[in-house]
Amino acid sequence: MTEFDAATAAVQAALDAGARYADARVMHRRYESMSARNGDIEELTQDESNGLGVRALVGSSWGFHAVPDLSDAAARDAGRRAARIAAASARVPGPPIDLVPVEATTASWASDCAVDPLGVPLSDKGDLLVRATATMREHGADLAEGLYQIWDTAKWFVSSEGHRIDQRIRECGGGISATSIGDGETQRRSYPSYRGQYGTTGWELVTSLDLAAHAARIAEESRALLTAPECPSGETDLILGGEQLALQIHESVGHAIELDRILGWEAAFAGTSWLDLAQLGTLRYGSELMNVTIDPALPGALGSFGYDDEGSPAVKRDAVREGRWVGVLAGRDSAAVAGLDHGGSVRADGWARLPMVRMTNVGLEPGPHTLDEIIAATDDGVLMDLNRSWSIDDKRLNFQFGCEIGWEVKKGRRGRMLRNPTYTGIGPLFWRSMDMLSSEIVPWGTPNCGKGQPGQTGHTGHPAAPARFRNVRVGVRA
């Protein structure tokens, strides 16, 4: 049995058992991670999984079943079980579900990868983390940590409509962090992000980060933050670095435009959404500088793929255009219910999980400015960078975020360092206050987005650059 044979057998068995539509995914994933602390390797994890998951649609209900066995008998049994689960759910009447049409495709796709990350010797990868964390310790960090992660995923997808698609997606990334402990105060600095930077690419991404070269700086900054003045409280102009703005996009835009949340189908973990479909195309989400795209075809970004887990091709679409809300993240079923003509945003984090609407690459298009120009144009404000904490309500509306580091901005110049910078706001009011946006876009990767029950971990990308927001409340205290 090949992977395609197993998927085909599962789909046919589901149809024979009464499903009106079925699809199946075989997935083979290898994962590796390594972490170091204070100049020593702390943990090495290597695992591998392989299995098949099949969906069946009966009436208005989905059924799903998964098995770690690609034999013909196991695949057919999985298809029958998925159809029986769907039929049992369909006994409770619900609104009819159709699927947005997608052209049946036979295709192969692979992410770009110059250096196979699993082919790099463990000794080389370990030496990198040991060197970086040892340097941070030498420059004052009480706790110096580093890590990398690698995912190598192969997928085979078959549907009852005639899809036959295989993909190979290699993802990797890493980062370092320095923590300094003072009298009643603990401060952390990270590079390039508090969780590292990740992409759909090879080991060349980690090499380009040059972790060891930044180790001394972030250790010294974490130590300096212990005695830096507190971020002041009040309303002021806020300049956000690109990494923090990526988190802002993720929490207050990406989750809010997931159509299953908007329809009330999904409310676990991250809640529902404040958005109303009746306002799609008319709602003023932000200022005219706000242009947010959904782009799973963006080369190298963490939310990229050739086809989603329903066989829909990766296509770039607008979510917000010149501040107006115009698009959503959707699946074939949710799009049909909402009267829309596209899905393309459905993925599962493994063969044993039901595919659901997930963020792909949701991010800003470049603005007309640079960070230096934004600072020079700011008479009185605060610059904040790198996320430290996040909190947002279950409608994705009211938020409070903390950053690792801040700086005063006075009369167009960056001034003294500030510790414990925080800011708060209401999503659409906040985005409408954006009046300057940099062209220095980076496709930040988020490898730890949680959603669903049972919980799934999604990999998402968020192109972002520094931006300025007017009259924002900063220095919020618990």
Side-chain angles (χ1 to χ4, degrees):
M1 291 281 287
T2 68
E3 290 84 2
F4 275 129
D5 290 339
T8 300
V11 167
Q12 187 58 54
L15 296 177
D16 293 343
R20 62 185 176 94
Y21 169 85
D23 59 36
R25 292 170 299 108
V26 173
M27 293 181 65
H28 178 204
R29 172 171 288 168
R30 292 185 292 166
Y31 172 75
E32 179 181 294
S33 68
M34 185 186 293
S35 61
R37 176 177 292 183
N38 297 341
D40 295 311
I41 297 300
E42 183 175 45
E43 184 176 13
L44 170 65
T45 299
Q46 294 175 310
D47 62 42
E48 189 169 351
S49 66
N50 194 45
L52 175 148
V54 55
R55 296 192 308 171
L57 183 59
V58 175
S60 61
S61 299
W62 287 104
F64 177 78
H65 192 73
V67 290
D69 183 348
L70 301 187
S71 68
D72 182 72
R76 292 185 182 279
D77 184 60
R80 288 189 291 267
R81 287 175 180 268
R84 287 202 294 267
I85 292 169
S89 299
R91 292 172 188 161
V92 178
I97 290 180
D98 295 315
L99 302 178
V100 170
V102 174
E103 182 180 356
T105 302
T106 298
S108 295
W109 186 88
S111 58
D112 292 335
C113 179
V115 180
D116 180 2
L118 291 176
V120 177
L122 284 173
S123 58
D124 291 354
K125 291 182 281 197
D127 287 347
L128 171 63
L129 298 182
V130 166
R131 185 168 65 255
T133 56
T135 299
M136 288 187 285
R137 283 284 286 173
E138 292 166 2
H139 286 261
D142 293 300
L143 177 63
E145 298 175 296
L147 85 161
Y148 71 78
Q149 297 184 86
I150 300 166
W151 300 264
D152 188 339
T153 305
K155 300 182 181 184
W156 295 262
F157 175 81
V158 171
S159 82
S160 58
E161 295 174 337
H163 292 86
R164 189 181 176 92
I165 299 168
D166 65 272
Q167 300 184 80
R168 186 179 182 188
I169 302 173
R170 285 181 277 195
E171 307 158 293
C172 69
I176 54 176
S177 66
T179 301
S180 294
I181 302 170
D183 185 13
E185 188 75 32
T186 300
Q187 293 292 331
R188 184 190 70 208
R189 284 290 285 132
S190 307
Y191 171 82
S193 164
Y194 80 95
R195 70 181 80 80
Q197 169 64 326
Y198 296 84
T200 303
T201 182
W203 191 251
E204 61 273 14
L205 170 61
V206 178
T207 300
S208 72
L209 298 175
D210 201 359
L211 299 178
H214 294 268
R217 173 182 61 82
I218 70 164
E220 291 165 359
E221 288 181 355
S222 73
R223 179 63 54 183
L225 280 168
L226 292 174
T227 55
E230 286 269 359
C231 177
S233 298
E235 288 192 359
T236 190
D237 291 344
L238 172 65
I239 303 171
L240 288 184
E243 190 268 357
Q244 175 60 28
L245 194 55
L247 186 280
Q248 183 76 51
I249 294 166
H250 181 98
E251 299 294 349
S252 68
V253 180
H255 277 307
I257 64 171
E258 291 170 336
L259 185 53
D260 56 347
R261 296 190 186 284
I262 296 171
L263 293 173
W265 293 3
E266 164 64 29
F269 284 131
T272 56
S273 175
W274 65 277
L275 293 169
D276 182 345
L277 270 179
Q279 296 178 300
L280 184 64
T282 61
L283 176 72
R284 176 61 63 182
Y285 209 120
S287 73
E288 291 186 355
L289 278 175
M290 187 184 185
N291 293 296
V292 176
T293 60
I294 300 164
D295 188 4
L298 185 64
L302 190 60
S304 296
F305 48 79
Y307 298 84
D308 79 348
D309 283 350
E310 294 186 309
S312 298
V315 176
K316 181 179 180 179
R317 298 183 182 274
D318 286 340
V320 179
R321 178 54 52 185
E322 295 182 351
R324 198 172 303 280
W325 176 43
V326 295
V328 297
L329 294 153
R332 295 181 63 190
D333 53 359
S334 57
V337 167
L340 305 176
D341 64 354
H342 65 277
S345 299
V346 166
R347 289 185 292 167
D349 76 352
W351 55 267
R353 292 290 182 261
L354 179 69
M356 64 172 66
V357 175
R358 299 307 301 257
M359 281 179 258
T360 60
N361 299 310
V362 179
L364 287 164
E365 291 190 341
H369 310 109
T370 67
L371 176 57
D372 288 344
E373 289 171 347
I374 295 172
I375 293 172
T378 303
D379 187 58
D380 186 11
V382 177
L383 167 62
M384 300 185 191
D385 202 14
L386 265 70
N387 182 256
R388 184 177 183 179
S389 65
W390 63 96
S391 175
I392 191 165
D393 69 10
D394 61 3
K395 291 285 190 180
R396 322 308 295 178
L397 189 60
N398 298 280
F399 62 83
Q400 178 178 316
F401 297 137
C403 295
E404 287 187 358
I405 192 168
W407 294 271
E408 282 185 338
V409 177
K410 297 288 187 183
K411 297 181 179 179
R413 295 181 180 275
R414 186 191 303 209
R416 60 180 181 165
M417 182 185 294
L418 301 173
R419 64 186 165 99
N420 303 330
T422 60
Y423 67 100
T424 188
I426 299 173
L429 299 180
F430 179 80
W431 285 106
R432 291 168 197 169
S433 75
M434 182 172 68
D435 71 337
M436 296 188 78
L437 173 64
S438 171
S439 61
E440 301 151 321
I441 293 286
V442 173
W444 294 100
T446 300
N448 60 333
C449 176
K451 185 177 177 181
Q453 289 179 321
Q456 298 192 35
T457 300
H459 293 184
T460 68
H462 303 291
R468 186 176 75 176
F469 301 82
R470 308 304 297 270
N471 301 319
V472 177
R473 182 165 178 75
V474 304
V476 184
R477 301 290 179 263

